[in-house]
Amino acid sequence: MRLRNISGARDMIAESSLVVHEPEKVKGKWKEIFKNDHPLRIEIGMGKGKFIHELAEKTPEVNYIGIEKYSSVLLRALQKMEENPLPNLLFIRMDAEDIGEVFDREEVDRIYLNFSDPWPKDRHAKRRLPSRAFLERYDRFLKKEGVLEFKTDNRELFDFALGELPEAGWKALQVTYDLHNDGEMKEGNIMTEYEEKFSSKGNPICKYIIKRA
Ligand code: SAM
């Protein structure tokens, strides 16, 4: 069975208090939702949520939001929260194309993209989460000194993402083509589901950390 077809996923998401429904109404008010003024960090396209759940557990002084397009995948992240609830992690089910409706200027201090879908056809380049079209969206709500971290084993997507930076007005602070063998960048690395899968096959993992130029 494809994950996408798990029946009832949408209903379970709709009833969950861990999911922020109508997130556009919370734009500019995320501190009220978390009831503190801790920094806010988001993962876009989080999949089943392993990375963000571990990160949130490790850094309780930071608030996190995991964003995922598909209910049936998001459901897995909710199950992790049932087993190990965390007060600093919430979820949104949405297509990130509309992310500008959800966060206000300077509201987010870090963005994580992990193993984003490659959309290999040229005509779909705008749908790639590290594309200039998305960097433009992130620019509207990421803090001035905020950073974006991106990991992938897809070298083509990674080279594309690096190539987007100058045109979009961003610059790389750190880049590696082999994260797990990079002494500095691998420190504190939290593996995502896809990272575990692809690195176990021997694929090197690329990562950059970028900010506005
Ligand atoms: N980040 C996870 C990891 O590294 O294990 C999952 C990677 S998976 C290849 C990409 C995930 O991003 C999928 O769960 C997909 O549904 C989600 N996704 C892709 N495009 C998205 C979008 N525009 N908005 C929200 N989620 C998206």
Side-chain angles (χ1 to χ4, degrees), residues 11-57:
D11 293 344
M12 286 159 94
I13 302 290
E15 284 161 20
S16 174
S17 59
L18 299 172
V19 179
V20 179
H21 310 286
E22 301 187 290
E24 60 289 340
K25 292 191 177 160
V26 185
K27 185 174 179 174
K29 298 181 207 152
W30 285 99
K31 287 182 169 51
E32 290 172 29
I33 295 290
F34 284 101
K35 299 187 174 62
N36 60 49
D37 58 5
H38 297 173
L40 179 60
R41 301 183 178 173
I42 65 175
E43 183 187 5
I44 307 173
M46 67 159 181
K48 299 181 206 164
K50 173 186 182 293
F51 170 85
I52 200 162
H53 194 276
E54 283 184 36
L55 187 59
E57 185 168 32

Side-chain angles (χ1 to χ4, degrees), residues 111 113 130 135 138 142 145-150 161-162 165 170-175 208-212:
I111 299 170
L113 304 177
L135 290 175
Y138 308 148
L142 184 66
E145 295 303 317
V147 298
L148 183 156
E149 301 192 10
F150 171 49
L162 279 172
L165 301 181
W170 294 60
K171 67 177 179 193
L173 298 175
Q174 286 179 283
V175 179
Y208 72 38
I209 302 177
I210 61 169
K211 64 180 287 219
R212 261 74 126 246

Side-chain angles (χ1 to χ4, degrees), residues 118-137:
W119 292 104
K121 291 188 178 135
D122 283 348
R123 69 172 192 276
H124 292 147
K126 276 202 220 160
R127 297 185 191 174
R128 298 173 192 153
L129 295 180
S131 67
R132 70 188 71 176
F134 271 95
L135 290 175
E136 221 171 84
R137 293 179 174 98

Side-chain angles (χ1 to χ4, degrees), residues 33-165:
I33 295 290
F34 284 101
K35 299 187 174 62
N36 60 49
D37 58 5
H38 297 173
L40 179 60
R41 301 183 178 173
I42 65 175
E43 183 187 5
I44 307 173
M46 67 159 181
K48 299 181 206 164
K50 173 186 182 293
F51 170 85
I52 200 162
H53 194 276
E54 283 184 36
L55 187 59
E57 185 168 32
K58 232 169 119 177
T59 48
E61 69 287 358
V62 176
N63 295 326
Y64 291 94
I65 297 177
I67 297 170
E68 170 53 48
K69 188 157 61 169
Y70 292 112
S71 303
S72 50
V73 187
L74 173 53
L75 199 56
R76 304 298 195 194
L78 297 183
Q79 285 163 350
K80 285 188 182 69
M81 285 286 268
E82 268 167 34
E83 289 156 22
N84 180 12
L86 302 172
N88 58 329
L89 175 58
L90 290 170
F91 304 102
I92 301 174
R93 193 199 62 76
M94 68 178 290
D95 188 321
E97 288 204 355
D98 301 320
I99 198 158
E101 311 298 319
V102 168
F103 301 105
D104 213 348
R105 267 171 61 94
E106 305 261 318
E107 204 167 21
V108 171
D109 93 333
R110 192 166 301 195
I111 299 170
Y112 298 97
L113 304 177
N114 291 314
F115 295 79
S116 307
D117 293 339
W119 292 104
K121 291 188 178 135
D122 283 348
R123 69 172 192 276
H124 292 147
K126 276 202 220 160
R127 297 185 191 174
R128 298 173 192 153
L129 295 180
S131 67
R132 70 188 71 176
F134 271 95
L135 290 175
E136 221 171 84
R137 293 179 174 98
Y138 308 148
D139 190 37
R140 289 186 224 131
F141 60 79
L142 184 66
K143 277 193 192 305
K144 205 161 155 259
E145 295 303 317
V147 298
L148 183 156
E149 301 192 10
F150 171 49
K151 293 196 275 190
T152 182
D153 70 321
N154 185 321
R155 182 60 192 265
E156 257 179 59
L157 178 65
F158 191 65
D159 288 342
F160 164 83
L162 279 172
E164 292 291 88
L165 301 181

